[in-house]
Amino acid sequence: KTKKLPYITAKIAVSKNNLIYSKGSKKITNKSSDKITHYLRYKNDSIMISSKTLNIDNPKLNCRLKGLRKFSPRRVILDNELKTKINSYIVKTADINNTIIFYNKANKSKITTFKKTKIKLIKSKINNHGKFDFITILKKLYNYDCRNLLIEGGDFLTNHLLKKKIFNKFYLYKS
């Protein structure tokens, strides 16, 4: 709180051979771990994924626990080049208060298309390695009243943030 950054919890699921995704694979988690995930979504006011995860999984990123659905978190997407699929569930269910996309560059027609969807677009700088300045993004999220952020990133995002020691709490589901 003193640094004006959200409290960050991360969650990732891996198979017994340490894969988070493979084509045609069975689901890694079970009903019990799914309930924990939905509880985490309820407890956090925002949830973050990358556009790669969004485009592969087409997730809902909501809380599906009975009686708690209205407490689903705000969805935050990291999308450097605005490659989020326009027909994804997140885009179709977006409103100005529940979805933010951080991007760096995109053509004007793509930006215009996304502005019609009621998604909040925030242009953000990237570093020499093509990555967002994550602390700047966290500060911007804090300014949008994000106090508790759940990151359900894929392998790339999770590994990058682990190396940066960004997480306050980490959940690892392993089959």
Side-chain angles (χ1 to χ4, degrees):
K1 285 185 177 184
T2 58
K3 293 181 181 181
K4 299 195 178 202
L5 297 171
Y7 186 88
I8 302 172
T9 302
K11 183 224 69 142
I12 195 165
V14 297
S15 63
K16 64 182 175 182
N17 55 349
N18 294 319
L19 296 175
I20 63 163
Y21 173 83
S22 80
K23 289 183 181 176
S25 68
K26 292 182 180 179
K27 190 174 178 200
I28 294 170
T29 56
N30 60 22
K31 286 182 182 181
S32 179
S33 55
D34 287 348
K35 282 183 181 180
I36 295 168
T37 295
H38 289 286
Y39 181 74
L40 288 172
R41 291 176 182 177
Y42 156 72
K43 293 294 285 180
N44 288 273
D45 54 63
S46 300
I47 184 170
M48 178 184 283
I49 63 169
S50 69
S51 60
K52 183 178 176 183
T53 298
L54 185 144
N55 289 336
I56 291 170
D57 295 345
N58 194 24
K60 293 182 179 170
L61 303 181
N62 57 6
C63 173
R64 293 189 281 270
L65 296 175
K66 188 176 180 179
L68 301 177
R69 291 185 174 126
K70 66 182 177 182
F71 298 105
S72 290
R74 175 189 306 124
R75 295 97 50 106
V76 179
I77 314 301
L78 298 179
D79 188 353
N80 188 357
E81 297 177 4
L82 213 51
K83 291 183 176 180
T84 296
K85 291 180 181 176
I86 201 75
N87 64 345
S88 68
Y89 178 86
I90 297 296
V91 173
K92 287 179 180 179
T93 59
D95 70 48
I96 202 70
N97 297 315
N98 78 348
T99 308
I100 297 172
I101 295 179
F102 286 94
Y103 77 101
N104 176 256
K105 62 181 177 180
N107 64 44
K108 289 187 181 205
S109 66
K110 193 99 174 185
I111 292 170
T112 302
T113 300
F114 273 92
K115 285 188 176 178
K116 291 177 186 175
T117 65
K118 299 181 183 177
I119 290 173
K120 177 128 187 94
L121 288 178
I122 301 175
K123 188 168 184 175
S124 296
K125 293 180 182 178
I126 57 172
N127 63 23
N128 296 337
H129 304 290
K131 294 181 175 79
F132 287 110
D133 177 352
F134 205 72
I135 298 300
T136 300
I137 286 177
L138 291 176
K139 287 180 180 181
K140 286 180 182 181
L141 286 173
Y142 191 89
N143 289 336
Y144 283 101
D145 295 323
C146 172
R147 297 300 180 263
N148 297 288
L149 176 65
L150 175 62
I151 299 177
E152 289 191 23
D155 190 35
F156 183 78
L157 178 61
T158 301
N159 279 324
H160 174 69
L161 298 179
L162 274 170
K163 289 175 187 170
K164 294 260 185 206
K165 298 182 180 182
I166 293 287
F167 305 129
N168 299 103
K169 191 181 285 187
F170 193 87
Y171 289 80
L172 173 65
Y173 302 159
K174 192 162 186 175
S175 65

